[in-house]
Amino acid sequence: MSDGALWAVLAAAVVPPLLLDLGVVHRRAHTVGFREALAWTLTWVALAGGYAALVTWSRGAHDGILFVTGYVIEQSLSVDNVFLFAVLFARFGVPRGSRHKVLFWGVVGAIVMRGIMIVGGTALVARFHWILYGFGVLLIVTGIRMLREREHEADPSDSSLLRWLRRRLPLTNGYHGEAFVVRQSGRLHATPLLLALVAVEMTDLLFAVDSLPAVFAVTTDPLLVVSSNVFAILGLRSLYFVLAGAIARLRYLRLALVGILVFVGAKMLLPFKLHPGVSLGAIAAMLATAVAVSLWATRAEATGGAEATGGAEATGVG
């Protein structure tokens, strides 16, 4: 199968589900439940797995592993975006039924922005190969900075761009369903939902500055970079609704993200290339360990708390 056919398959795997998602499944605003979000998450993972199999069949196992590695990196790093989305929706008071629409159009905008950045990044790497070493240093510095910062201390809802928009745009006092813009007194007014969308787009743009160099550390092949990013971004909406209730339990996941950034950055600075399977295994091990330790720690705390309560009741304390 030619690369042109792989590009066509990518488009066919992405566009129809998006149209089905917005035009049929979510035509009317409603709160996305855990089961629905999990079904969509598994759908996007299955599509990514099918595309990985197609790449492997068409190009060989080496490129198949590169795609999977890039996809896992993007998907894992996007988890940090999920935490930020939760903060943004709380700050803006976005109704639960409208959050899917914000994330949907946020994803569409993210795909466009990523495409532009990938084209520019690929051209830079092709002309100035040494820039990969700069990407490696950037990833290590980002990982160290993430480790030193308090979790999600940045507040995208209070950015200079949003403050500028609030001063320049006529705004409504409250939400108007799922509308981003409404007409009042013969004049168009932006709703808070539009500001929430801008904040989501800004968050993804900042996230892309860190995540795209991580994928370039795996491969600079445009097809593999674009496809791994697209599948990871498309699964981000449903992933938010799956993890929204489990955010507090994944306390050590941020450490895994730090480890991934530093590992990938160091990999770019090495004088030799690691086998793609080694990179994929190391990244998967860090994620699995962080999730397992997080769940074990929260379960142990819950068990300890229950035992303490039971002991107090038995002895008549409290």
Side-chain angles (χ1 to χ4, degrees):
M1 181 178 288
S2 66
D3 281 1
L6 287 174
W7 282 108
V9 170
L10 177 63
V14 168
V15 177
L18 280 178
L19 295 178
L20 175 67
D21 188 1
L22 186 65
V24 179
V25 179
H26 292 98
R27 183 172 54 185
R28 295 182 179 178
H30 71 279
T31 300
V32 179
F34 176 81
R35 290 185 178 181
E36 180 184 344
L38 182 61
W40 273 106
T41 299
L42 294 177
T43 297
W44 288 117
V45 171
L47 287 173
Y51 195 78
L54 190 61
V55 170
T56 301
W57 173 74
S58 178
R59 287 182 160 199
H62 183 269
D63 280 9
I65 294 176
L66 291 179
F67 167 81
V68 173
T69 305
Y71 172 72
V72 171
I73 289 176
E74 287 296 317
Q75 192 76 299
S76 59
L77 293 178
S78 68
V79 172
D80 213 40
N81 253 17
V82 170
F83 290 89
L84 285 174
F85 290 159
V87 172
L88 287 174
F89 288 150
R91 294 271 184 175
F92 283 98
V94 179
R96 292 185 179 276
S98 301
R99 293 178 182 182
H100 179 274
K101 184 174 182 179
V102 174
L103 292 177
F104 178 92
W105 290 111
V107 162
V108 173
I111 291 175
V112 174
M113 288 190 300
R114 295 290 182 91
I116 295 173
M117 295 175 71
I118 288 171
V119 170
T122 302
L124 282 174
V125 171
R127 185 166 184 179
F128 308 105
H129 184 74
W130 54 265
I131 203 170
L132 288 174
Y133 297 108
F135 285 162
V137 174
L138 173 64
L139 291 175
I140 294 174
V141 171
T142 300
I144 295 173
R145 188 180 70 239
M146 185 184 295
L147 182 63
R148 296 178 61 184
E149 288 178 350
R150 293 176 311 196
E151 289 197 2
H152 319 297
E153 62 181 9
D155 184 7
S157 65
D158 192 35
S159 68
S160 57
L161 175 59
L162 288 178
R163 288 197 297 270
W164 182 85
L165 288 175
R166 289 188 178 100
R167 291 195 302 268
R168 296 294 188 275
L169 292 178
L171 296 174
T172 62
N173 292 326
Y175 288 92
H176 290 258
E178 290 190 289
F180 292 116
V181 178
V182 295
R183 186 177 293 277
Q184 292 183 342
S185 303
R187 186 183 181 190
L188 289 178
H189 287 68
T191 70
L193 201 65
L194 179 63
L195 295 183
L197 175 61
V198 173
V200 167
E201 295 288 11
M202 289 171 52
T203 299
D204 185 79
L205 180 61
L206 295 174
F207 162 73
V209 172
D210 296 333
S211 65
L212 284 181
V215 176
F216 281 129
V218 176
T219 177
T220 57
D221 187 307
L223 174 65
L224 300 181
V225 174
V226 170
S227 58
S228 61
N229 266 267
V230 166
F231 280 112
I233 293 172
L234 289 172
L236 184 58
R237 293 168 304 133
S238 54
L239 187 64
Y240 163 78
F241 292 105
V242 169
L243 295 179
I247 287 177
R249 301 185 65 189
L250 301 176
R251 63 177 62 177
Y252 297 115
L253 191 57
R254 191 175 178 85
L255 292 178
L257 303 184
V258 170
I260 290 172
L261 287 173
V262 174
F263 170 77
V264 174
K267 177 176 173 288
M268 299 179 78
L269 301 178
L270 291 176
F272 56 88
K273 289 187 177 181
L274 291 177
H275 189 278
V278 175
S279 299
L280 179 58
I283 292 168
M286 283 186 276
L287 288 173
T289 301
V291 171
V293 173
S294 295
L295 295 179
W296 175 83
T298 52
R299 183 177 180 181
E301 288 180 358
T303 303
E307 291 178 351
T309 302
E313 292 177 350
T315 57
V317 176

